[in-house]
Amino acid sequence: MSAIDDIVARSRLQGGFSSQRKTFSLARKRAIRKMREFALADPYYFVLELIQAAVAQGASYINVRTEGETFVLSYTGGHFREEELAQLFDFLFAGKNRTDIGHVRELALGLNALLLFQPKRIVVESGDGTLRGTTRMVILKDAEHVEVGRSARALRGTFVRCDGLKRWHLRGKTSLEPLPGLPLEVAAIEERCLTAPIP
């Protein structure tokens, strides 16, 4: 099984935390909510921010899957550290000139925009291939609390899994033209990811 196949297979499992985890409230709630609404030109561009985060991290392969109310983006190459995920939404306030943390800022922008779709749950798992270096973050439906801790299993790569998306909720707020039988995330990728440096 290739590395990306392993990450894709893992993104389909329910998974869980090891005994080490922290629960915290998102800081700067009001500003974060405002950024959620106005940071991107189109709500479906969240997928572009997540792809940019992967590319900036050195991804060698990216897989995007949409089924009903589920969205999954997984990739090999690079990983997010526990401290980055634990303070993820603070990176929304980082300057664009900070290229050293650009990948984390892109992830924060993408996930914050994804919350407009009122998902039941967002899970991010990212690791360096070791149990100690694999972090799991869960954002629940209300987006007021985030759990970050060690994953129960080691992972080399990153995946973002979002369940319970209400895509219909934002149909009137997009200028994207739907492609026959495909979700609007695909239209955003087709329109904007013209020369991605990786498959």
Side-chain angles (χ1 to χ4, degrees):
M1 181 180 286
S2 72
I4 190 64
D5 291 336
D6 185 42
I7 294 171
V8 170
R10 173 74 170 277
S11 72
R12 292 180 178 161
L13 300 175
Q14 289 301 317
F17 287 102
S18 70
S19 60
Q20 302 175 11
R21 66 178 171 185
K22 303 171 195 164
T23 300
F24 60 91
S25 295
L26 294 180
R28 310 179 200 181
K29 290 180 202 171
R30 243 184 243 147
I32 290 170
R33 283 191 192 122
K34 285 291 181 194
M35 290 180 86
R36 188 174 301 155
E37 292 179 44
F38 302 110
L40 302 179
D42 190 290
Y44 285 90
Y45 286 177
F46 78 85
V47 68
L48 303 178
E49 297 297 327
L50 297 178
I51 289 171
Q52 283 179 210
V55 171
Q57 233 185 358
S60 55
Y61 188 92
I62 299 173
N63 181 60
V64 177
R65 184 172 51 92
T66 59
E67 291 176 19
E69 296 179 344
T70 301
F71 169 85
V72 181
L73 179 135
S74 47
Y75 63 92
T76 55
H79 71 282
F80 295 95
R81 298 186 321 270
E82 182 177 350
E83 55 272 14
E84 292 171 333
L85 293 177
Q87 301 299 322
L88 184 66
F89 291 100
D90 288 341
F91 286 90
L92 290 170
F93 303 98
K96 289 184 179 182
N97 59 335
R98 294 283 314 272
T99 56
D100 59 320
I101 57 170
H103 62 289
V104 187
R105 184 176 182 278
E106 300 294 341
L107 178 68
L109 282 168
L111 292 182
N112 197 38
L114 191 51
L115 289 170
L116 284 171
F117 293 84
Q118 301 174 357
K120 290 180 183 170
R121 180 176 81 147
I122 299 174
V123 176
V124 178
E125 267 195 42
S126 189
D128 62 3
T130 67
L131 190 56
R132 183 181 176 117
T134 302
T135 303
R136 179 178 177 87
M137 177 175 76
V138 178
I139 304 171
L140 298 176
K141 184 177 182 179
D142 64 1
E144 296 296 322
H145 296 290
V146 176
E147 290 187 333
V148 176
R150 299 243 188 269
S151 177
R153 295 174 52 196
L155 177 71
R156 181 180 300 279
T158 300
F159 74 80
V160 175
R161 179 185 174 93
C162 188
D163 297 311
L165 284 176
K166 296 178 182 172
R167 287 187 179 90
W168 55 267
H169 179 68
L170 294 170
R171 287 257 179 196
K173 296 186 179 187
T174 183
S175 60
L176 291 169
E177 292 295 323
L179 299 171
L182 296 171
L184 286 170
E185 292 92 334
V186 176
I189 292 169
E190 291 285 327
E191 181 182 291
R192 294 296 185 124
C193 291
L194 303 177
T195 57
I198 52 176

